[in-house]
Amino acid sequence: MTFTERDHVHFRARLEDCLSTLGKVVGDPKFGAVPATLGAELEASLVGESGGPAPVNVAVHEVLQDDRLTLEVARFNLEANLEPVPLRGRPFTAMAEQATQRLRQITAQSLRMHGARAVPIGTLPTLTSADVTTEALTPVPRFHALERAWAKRRPTPFPLRVAEGRDGVLRAESVAVQGAACSWQVHLTVPPARFLHTFNAAQLATAPALAVAGNSPFPLGRAGGQEARIPLYEQGFGDRGGTRPGAPRPRVGFGRAWLRGGPLAVFDEAVHAYDVLLPAPHRDARDGGSDEAGYPPLEELRLHLSTVWSWNRPVYDPRGHLRIELRALPSGPTPLDMAVNTAFLVGLTLFLAAGGRDVAHCLPFACAKANFYRAARDGLRASLWWPSPGSAPQEHEAGALVHKLLPQARTGLIMSGVDADEADTMLNLLHERVSTGRTGAWWQQRSLEVLSRRRETPRGAGGALPAERTAATPGERTGSLPRGDAATSGASTTRTGQPPEAVPGTGGAGGGPGRPPLGDLTMRYARLAESAAPVHTWNLPADLPWSQR
């Protein structure tokens, strides 16, 4: 948990050795010659009967005694690790089934012991800044070491902008705020020879996938964008960065340019562009050390990469392959929804990289980066740049763009060996979600509006509930390309037309007169998530109070 300057110097030297060794490993023709697989990590929040966070992850983890479950940074978080599945046949169905089993396993114990459920949701609506203080930090040495490292790098408390408006800036004091941002992190194995093209393709494909997957509209009890988890995570668990000379690069972010030079380049950048947070040397620091597959563990390199939280991140696995960790998708709403999101993102990525195509030649990186933050903010209504063969890139509304990209995603899946009926099932569900406009974020926002009007309308007054909205008519337009990083924006904004402080029901789990508790919204979400029906089929709250249903 504490390190000396000598530890940092020694660790830096070991990182250079790891890079040199990695170059030799990647050059081995047998390395990476494995069948393509998919894996995932599912982060979930433990939620009590009132809908608020239940800080009982250590107790639940100790009872379950399952190596596939790990403690996360905040005491109300757990992470479920899925067994990798071959990228052929019915991989997404298998992933959904595994995720369902893990969530049920956690809930069965946590509900019995503590009255808490495991809820897959990008950002728990009931969380407030008081729930993510230093007291919320899980008692694991890694997290406390990170806490100490950050304490030396930025003032405490530090400002955290979660939404626009006067009340959109909060004061945070701990990396435990990362517990407010739960992800569904997908791992895709990639041969070294195809790493460059696949990584760039994933960068481009991430924005439309994120736009259709939004599930985090209420960061720390405020009204934010469709996937407000993105700016929350970037600010709460990363360097601020900046444009001034010598300013550190943001430790969490989308990146600065397209990848050039193959897999070694992305590992080299991670080593040389970021300082060391956790200089804990591996006990056996010999290059000759290897695991059962015969490849060196490179523990220092893997540890350092675990402290650079790029939205798409390279992973070296000493069992004999490289992976791309796709980190941008949110947790939830259901395992099936997460499998659907994965099918679209992976299928589109594989299509875009097919035949050695490099999307870096088709679109300025500034456009891809702008797309990412627009998708997080505006969801299906985001304006996204996309390559246009034979002409300049065009802007499309995200919903319309996703419709156009679905056939490409299907082709990418079929090429990889996924069964046609599996691809059709997953992508048809996504088509329905886009057509209705009913993402997880949409359901949360509209449900809160319904609950607010019910609370404000006296019973028997005949007040009508708001009409349900469907997706806007898709559109397309051309315009000026963004210039550099100025085109991006990490700040989230409310899409209701009201400043955050005026949006009803954003007062945490308790609520107040005329303001429905976010706890009610959260528990409705939790029950629907357990029903396993995809989110676009979820009804808005009915007149009958939840406790009487």
Side-chain angles (χ1 to χ4, degrees), residues 234-438:
E234 289 196 355
Q235 295 177 79
F237 213 9
D239 290 323
R240 290 295 183 274
T243 57
R244 68 183 188 280
R249 292 190 187 184
R251 211 165 184 107
V252 183
F254 187 76
R256 296 165 62 96
W258 294 116
L259 178 62
R260 306 289 187 187
L264 292 180
V266 71
F267 285 96
D268 185 84
E269 180 185 31
V271 168
H272 293 122
Y274 301 96
D275 60 351
V276 173
L277 291 186
L278 302 178
H282 183 44
R283 287 173 298 188
D284 183 3
R286 297 172 300 166
D287 281 342
S290 62
D291 78 339
E292 59 197 28
Y295 295 104
L298 306 185
E299 291 283 357
E300 290 84 1
L301 179 65
R302 292 160 64 198
L303 174 60
H304 180 65
L305 264 292
S306 77
T307 66
V308 179
W309 296 277
S310 306
W311 290 114
N312 291 309
R313 181 166 68 179
V315 177
Y316 164 76
D317 194 318
R319 288 172 292 187
H321 64 263
L322 298 177
R323 300 195 300 271
I324 299 175
E325 183 183 6
L326 310 167
R327 300 170 46 81
L329 295 175
S331 178
T334 68
L336 180 56
D337 288 307
M338 290 183 282
V340 167
N341 296 339
T342 305
F344 178 62
L345 175 54
V346 170
L348 182 58
T349 295
L350 296 176
F351 175 86
L352 293 173
R357 179 191 315 153
D358 187 358
V359 298
H361 303 305
C362 305
L363 191 75
F365 184 79
C367 293
K369 188 171 184 177
N371 284 351
F372 179 75
Y373 293 102
R374 291 178 180 183
R377 185 186 63 201
D378 300 334
L380 288 172
R381 294 190 172 188
S383 178
L384 304 182
W385 295 99
W386 204 255
S388 180
S391 63
Q394 293 181 321
E395 282 186 283
H396 306 255
E397 187 173 73
L401 179 61
V402 170
H403 277 304
K404 292 182 177 181
L405 297 177
L406 284 172
Q408 298 181 11
R410 183 183 188 278
T411 299
L413 295 177
I414 301 301
M415 288 191 307
S416 69
V418 174
D419 290 348
D421 61 342
E422 170 85 343
D424 290 339
T425 296
M426 296 296 156
L427 298 179
N428 285 342
L429 287 172
L430 193 74
H431 170 82
E432 293 174 12
R433 190 195 305 166
V434 176
S435 297
T436 61
R438 290 171 169 263

Side-chain angles (χ1 to χ4, degrees), residues 92-349:
F92 309 107
T93 296
M95 295 176 79
E97 290 174 349
Q98 282 197 55
T100 298
Q101 292 170 2
R102 300 287 187 276
L103 290 169
R104 288 176 178 172
Q105 174 191 18
I106 298 170
T107 294
Q109 290 295 334
S110 61
L111 192 61
R112 179 180 62 83
M113 296 171 55
H114 305 286
R117 285 180 158 79
V119 180
I121 190 168
T123 297
L124 190 61
T126 50
L127 286 177
T128 68
S129 55
D131 295 313
V132 288
T133 63
T134 53
E135 288 74 19
L137 204 63
T138 298
V140 170
R142 170 182 166 87
F143 302 140
H144 286 272
L146 286 172
E147 185 87 308
R148 292 190 180 196
W150 283 122
K152 298 177 181 179
R153 302 164 65 87
R154 64 184 180 192
T156 303
F158 58 91
L160 183 71
R161 174 167 288 283
V162 297
E164 293 298 313
R166 185 175 61 254
D167 289 351
V169 179
L170 307 177
R171 293 169 69 83
E173 64 178 44
S174 171
V175 296
V177 73
Q178 187 261 357
C182 291
S183 302
W184 165 255
Q185 298 157 12
V186 177
H187 289 248
L188 172 66
T189 57
V190 181
R194 296 206 296 266
F195 194 92
L196 167 67
H197 301 150
T198 308
F199 188 88
N200 284 342
Q203 290 280 77
L204 180 58
T206 294
L210 184 64
V212 75
N215 196 37
S216 310
F218 297 122
L220 297 178
R222 301 301 198 272
Q226 300 297 290
E227 192 48 45
R229 173 184 57 95
I230 298 298
L232 175 65
Y233 192 94
E234 289 196 355
Q235 295 177 79
F237 213 9
D239 290 323
R240 290 295 183 274
T243 57
R244 68 183 188 280
R249 292 190 187 184
R251 211 165 184 107
V252 183
F254 187 76
R256 296 165 62 96
W258 294 116
L259 178 62
R260 306 289 187 187
L264 292 180
V266 71
F267 285 96
D268 185 84
E269 180 185 31
V271 168
H272 293 122
Y274 301 96
D275 60 351
V276 173
L277 291 186
L278 302 178
H282 183 44
R283 287 173 298 188
D284 183 3
R286 297 172 300 166
D287 281 342
S290 62
D291 78 339
E292 59 197 28
Y295 295 104
L298 306 185
E299 291 283 357
E300 290 84 1
L301 179 65
R302 292 160 64 198
L303 174 60
H304 180 65
L305 264 292
S306 77
T307 66
V308 179
W309 296 277
S310 306
W311 290 114
N312 291 309
R313 181 166 68 179
V315 177
Y316 164 76
D317 194 318
R319 288 172 292 187
H321 64 263
L322 298 177
R323 300 195 300 271
I324 299 175
E325 183 183 6
L326 310 167
R327 300 170 46 81
L329 295 175
S331 178
T334 68
L336 180 56
D337 288 307
M338 290 183 282
V340 167
N341 296 339
T342 305
F344 178 62
L345 175 54
V346 170
L348 182 58
T349 295

